[in-house]
Amino acid sequence: MTLWTPDPTFYPSPRDAAAGPAETLAYVVAFDRAAEKPDALAVLDVDPESSSYGQVIGWTDMPYTGDELHHFGWNMCSSALCPYAPHPHTERRYLVVPGLRSSRLMILDTKENPKQPPVVKVLEAEELAKRAGYSRPHTLHCGPEGIYLTCLGGANGAEGPGGVALIDHQSFEVLGRWEVDRGPQYLAYDLWWHIAQDVAVTSEWGTPSMIEDGVVGELLLGRKYGHKLHFWDLRRRKHVQEVDLGDQHQMALELRPAHDPTKSYGFVGVVVSVEDLSASVWLWHRSDSGDSWEATKVITIPAEPADASQLPPVIAPFGAVPPLVTDIDLSVDDQWLYVSCWGTGELKRYDVSDPFHPREAGSVRLGGIVGNVAHPAAPDQPLRGGPQMVEVSRDGSRVYVTNSLYGSWDDQFYPDGVGSWMAKLDSTADGFTLDSRFFPHGSETWRGLRPHQVRLQGGDASSDSYCYP
């Protein structure tokens, strides 16, 4: 897989990435909630000039059942062009697909048959446990030294600490635990970085027993879920600083640093405040003196009042629908932040040209616990679920969303069924609107599986990081 010249889908800068060719395929992981049939990778045609535009055109079944595919990513990306990258001539070829419940990792080769990439290697849970001491692999990012895989749980039944396993991006062997000195960090969720500044950031969700059977009300109201950011020396793998957002802000999840490597800020979404059910987005940034990190709440999204009879038992006593910000995504030019409100069924867009003062610049409703807003392509079909995972094309003009969050949480918040659907929005400086031609939906289309994360062929807004401005 070594090339004479760098992979053409690697870009030195975010500006170069945005100018690259548009994607024609989207990869979406989908899981069987009953764990009776294999989870799968669906391949969708996203070329608007194609006769099969908006359709699932390929499937790869996983070799086992019960994985619960969740997040996934590429073996290599634009970070391979960093000056100190030891493998600049490797390919963006393999998709690394973890099973969040099984702790298994599947490796899929997209080169020869990108519409039905075969599984070419499986790493069993025992390998991850033995080499890194972790379980429940969640999110991965391709870095110069390898694949950084965040894990929620410890090995051999241990609840924690969760952390990061480092995986070789050519052999896919587990190299070991990334942290040399983890300091006070115990809970895990996401990891990303300011790669040219040797700064890593991690966020917090919960341990396996806190999440696998759904939200535990006593833990939530007891403020036990994660609410901190951790800053690390990326190369020395050492914990540097902890920033507490306040324990009322429960579940600090997705991290989205500025793509411009000269910038020292990023956004993190917080699912819910136990004080008023609002959700929020925070900006992390350096202090005025520049010698420490701070976090500032820059977006608050309030809960929406609702009749208790319309609400699932988990939130009926509150008489309101929490927005439940469960994913955010930042365009490659660092101008637009997309915020998915899975509970209220809304995708919000903010202009974050001034990151300290985001300005709301558009909103689309789709699904929702109470709204059940239909897609314009099927106006007579009320939708369950809401915009959840969101992915943005490198040029920023196309935004893809899917509707399932996590099996047990789907069942809690959408007890009548969350459904299966994916939608696309066209985004311009003037606004963003749903594409009525793109709406793969329904049990038959998705084989009864629930779609989760999206990855775009050649990279997307949350897959790559850049070493040059």
Side-chain angles (χ1 to χ4, degrees):
M1 59 189 267
T2 300
L3 305 175
W4 286 107
T5 58
D7 187 308
T9 70
F10 297 169
Y11 300 96
S13 72
R15 182 181 58 253
D16 293 326
E23 69 282 359
T24 60
L25 297 176
Y27 296 100
V28 181
V29 289
F31 69 96
D32 177 36
R33 174 64 178 128
E36 295 174 346
K37 54 188 177 184
D39 297 348
L41 179 84
V43 185
L44 285 98
D45 185 341
V46 294
D47 178 0
E49 303 302 320
S50 169
S51 60
S52 55
Y53 174 64
Q55 298 178 24
V56 179
I57 56 173
W59 287 96
T60 299
D61 290 329
M62 299 301 112
Y64 304 98
T65 60
D67 290 312
E68 185 144 3
L69 304 186
H70 195 68
H71 289 193
F72 67 117
W74 294 101
N75 65 311
M76 292 291 290
C77 61
S78 300
S79 62
L81 300 183
C82 288
Y84 50 90
H87 307 290
H89 295 292
T90 51
E91 298 175 88
R92 186 200 304 269
R93 171 172 175 172
Y94 298 97
L95 286 170
V96 181
V97 184
L100 184 51
R101 285 188 185 272
S102 67
S103 299
R104 201 178 276 130
L105 274 74
M106 275 65 67
I107 313 299
L108 280 65
D109 185 354
T110 67
K111 186 168 185 177
E112 300 299 331
N113 189 356
K115 297 179 182 178
Q116 196 167 335
V119 177
V120 295
K121 185 169 185 173
V122 177
L123 274 72
E124 294 292 346
E126 292 76 12
E127 189 69 14
L128 181 62
K130 181 178 66 176
R131 301 297 299 273
Y134 292 132
S135 66
R136 279 73 165 199
H138 188 273
T139 293
L140 62 95
H141 287 294
C142 36
E145 297 90 353
I147 300 166
Y148 292 70
L149 177 69
T150 67
C151 303
L152 303 183
N156 306 314
E159 282 287 284
V164 181
L166 193 62
I167 298 174
D168 186 276
H169 45 213
Q170 296 190 87
S171 69
F172 305 108
E173 297 299 323
V174 180
L175 299 176
R177 191 182 82 180
W178 172 70
E179 301 89 351
V180 171
D181 175 2
R182 67 176 345 112
Q185 179 267 329
Y186 185 81
L187 300 178
Y189 182 80
D190 198 3
L191 166 142
W192 219 353
W193 43 56
H194 297 293
I195 197 166
Q197 303 174 39
D198 286 337
V199 173
V201 190
T202 62
S203 58
E204 297 183 337
W205 186 13
T207 64
S209 69
M210 297 170 71
I211 64 158
E212 289 187 336
D213 295 323
V215 178
V216 181
E218 293 79 7
L219 295 177
L220 180 66
L221 296 177
R223 308 186 179 200
K224 300 299 185 185
Y225 286 95
H227 48 86
K228 298 175 183 175
L229 299 178
H230 299 269
F231 294 86
W232 306 75
D233 186 317
L234 176 59
R235 288 215 216 177
R236 293 178 175 81
R237 301 150 60 191
K238 180 181 179 182
H239 189 278
V240 173
Q241 185 187 346
E242 174 185 277
V243 174
D244 193 340
L245 307 182
D247 64 6
Q248 69 271 39
H249 300 292
Q250 291 283 283
M251 295 178 267
L253 299 185
E254 306 293 342
L255 301 169
R256 300 290 181 251
H259 295 87
D260 182 340
T262 68
K263 305 298 184 185
S264 302
Y265 68 82
F267 299 92
V268 57
V270 174
V271 176
V272 66
S273 165
V274 294
E275 293 186 342
D276 58 7
L277 297 187
S278 66
S280 55
V281 177
W282 295 64
L283 179 78
W284 76 75
H285 55 90
R286 291 192 185 274
S287 63
D288 290 341
S289 62
D291 58 1
S292 63
W293 293 94
E294 298 176 352
T296 303
K297 185 160 67 170
V298 293
I299 295 172
T300 300
I301 304 172
E304 298 181 355
D307 190 306
S309 64
Q310 297 178 287
L311 301 175
V314 67
I315 54 174
F318 301 99
V321 182
L324 300 177
V325 167
T326 48
D327 195 16
I328 61 176
D329 205 3
L330 181 63
S331 62
V332 171
D333 63 3
D334 295 331
Q335 181 176 0
W336 306 105
L337 183 72
Y338 296 88
V339 179
S340 61
C341 304
W342 187 63
T344 48
E346 184 178 18
L347 182 68
K348 289 177 172 288
R349 186 180 76 160
Y350 293 87
D351 184 342
V352 290
S353 301
D354 177 355
F356 282 91
H357 302 95
R359 178 179 62 82
E360 186 166 346
S363 166
V364 169
R365 294 269 178 171
L366 203 57
I369 292 172
V370 171
N372 296 326
V373 177
H375 191 282
D380 298 328
Q381 297 181 26
L383 285 183
R384 294 197 175 95
Q388 204 282 299
M389 292 308 295
V390 51
E391 195 48 74
V392 182
S393 63
R394 292 190 312 276
D395 67 358
S397 64
R398 297 167 297 284
V399 181
Y400 302 88
V401 295
T402 57
N403 75 310
S404 169
L405 171 59
Y406 181 57
S408 57
W409 295 45
D410 290 347
D411 300 345
Q412 274 186 308
F413 289 94
Y414 291 91
D416 295 327
V418 74
S420 302
W421 52 265
M422 179 177 177
K424 181 203 145 202
L425 300 99
D426 295 313
S427 183
T428 68
D430 298 325
F432 71 124
T433 56
L434 285 162
D435 179 352
S436 61
R437 294 178 58 208
F438 192 101
F439 184 48
H441 65 286
S443 182
E444 183 176 350
T445 295
W446 290 99
R447 293 179 166 184
L449 307 180
R450 300 182 187 180
H452 193 63
Q453 193 175 32
V454 179
R455 285 278 170 232
L456 302 180
Q457 188 183 39
D460 47 60
S462 72
S463 66
D464 286 38
S465 43
Y466 310 93
C467 272
Y468 303 92

